Amino acid sequence: MTIVGVPAGWPASEEEARAVQDELRGRVVLGEPGPPPGTGRVTGVDVAYDDELDLVAAAAVVLDAATLDVVAEATAVGRVSFPYVPGLLAFRELPTVSAVLDRLPCPPGLVVCDGYGLAHPRRFGLASHLGVLTDLPTIGVAKNPFTFTYDEPAPARGSSAPLLAGAEEVGRALRTRDGVKPVFVSVGHRVSLAGALAHTLALTPRFRLPETTRRADALCRQALREAARGRPGAPTRPDGTPSAPPPPGR
């Protein structure tokens, strides 16, 4: 098993990481509509951690955007590259996420991150950071609103309400199933908010979470279990599962 290392010069402190965010944030492209929903390919990325073993597993699952059939998938396992700090989780994940995208046998198309883009305290979450580094169109679809506020959308699927940082709209609370808790959608890079919402609805024909996220989540957890079992002296858990992922804040 090849372990993705921490890149040379990778930020080692909160101050260094925030300086990188400040430098790259200005490169986010907000004026493009992005690919039309239901066309081309769409890729979900997700990660799982085992902090005891200093491992992070990333998965990328490419779907046909029209049929939601799996086109390709890849996994990578790396070292945890940064301590857990809310708002800086991208620095724990990006080396391994970048490696897994490089392992795909086809272009990923739109990338859907299980996390945040502009809906981030510094307006530069994982989806934005990954988009700038790869120049791919990216969106963030999160399970909770992080530190932001919103009014409940109407109960019907497709209803949405602004996700707010004070008076600033940083994303949308989007109802993907009638009467079910919304997901929280934000722009990452090279996609409009309207496009991000349309893509999210196209990816949720049956469940609350996008098919991209559901499939990538299962695959990265499987990769982490296999990596943990393959480590000499790895601790044995009664249920064979890795540690839970960290709290949200990507």
Side-chain angles (χ1 to χ4, degrees):
M1 176 180 61
T2 301
I3 300 292
V4 177
V6 180
W10 195 249
S13 69
E14 294 182 36
E15 182 180 8
E16 291 173 350
R18 292 192 177 100
V20 170
Q21 287 181 331
D22 290 340
E23 177 187 355
L24 297 181
R25 185 171 53 240
R27 302 185 195 178
V28 173
V29 174
L30 300 177
E32 294 184 8
T39 64
R41 297 186 181 110
V42 59
T43 296
V45 296
D46 201 2
V47 301
Y49 292 95
D50 190 320
D51 284 302
E52 293 179 13
L53 296 179
D54 188 35
L55 292 177
V56 55
V61 180
V62 185
L63 305 183
D64 180 291
T67 65
L68 303 186
D69 292 334
V70 175
V71 174
E73 57 186 33
T75 61
V77 176
R79 301 292 183 198
V80 176
S81 52
F82 198 80
Y84 169 67
V85 179
L88 299 178
L89 293 192
F91 292 94
R92 290 167 62 88
E93 303 173 3
L94 275 169
T96 310
V97 169
S98 297
V100 82
L101 288 176
D102 288 342
R103 294 180 183 181
L104 289 172
C106 59
L110 174 81
V111 177
V112 181
C113 296
D114 178 25
Y116 307 93
L118 292 183
H120 181 271
R122 301 174 69 81
R123 307 299 181 268
F124 198 67
L126 174 66
S128 298
H129 202 150
L130 181 64
V132 167
L133 293 182
T134 61
D135 204 32
L136 292 167
T138 58
I139 66 174
V141 182
K143 301 178 183 73
N144 64 67
F146 198 14
T147 60
F148 303 110
T149 61
Y150 67 99
D151 292 329
E152 283 290 331
R157 168 178 159 84
S159 301
S160 68
L163 188 62
L164 298 172
E168 180 187 358
E169 184 175 358
V170 295
R172 284 257 162 179
L174 175 66
R175 194 87 68 185
T176 55
R177 305 296 300 160
D178 290 350
V180 172
K181 180 182 175 181
V183 296
F184 302 91
V185 180
S186 57
V187 170
H189 181 66
R190 296 181 56 193
V191 183
S192 68
L193 182 55
L197 294 171
H199 279 289
T200 303
L201 286 173
L203 291 166
T204 52
R206 297 177 57 201
F207 301 102
R208 174 182 176 241
L209 296 178
E211 286 301 300
T212 43
T213 299
R214 285 165 33 81
R215 294 171 187 260
D217 175 78
L219 188 59
C220 70
R221 290 177 185 275
Q222 176 186 334
L224 185 61
R225 286 194 296 268
E226 293 173 355
R229 289 177 185 139
R231 287 289 303 278
T236 301
R237 293 173 172 77
D239 62 358
T241 58
S243 302
R250 297 189 182 105

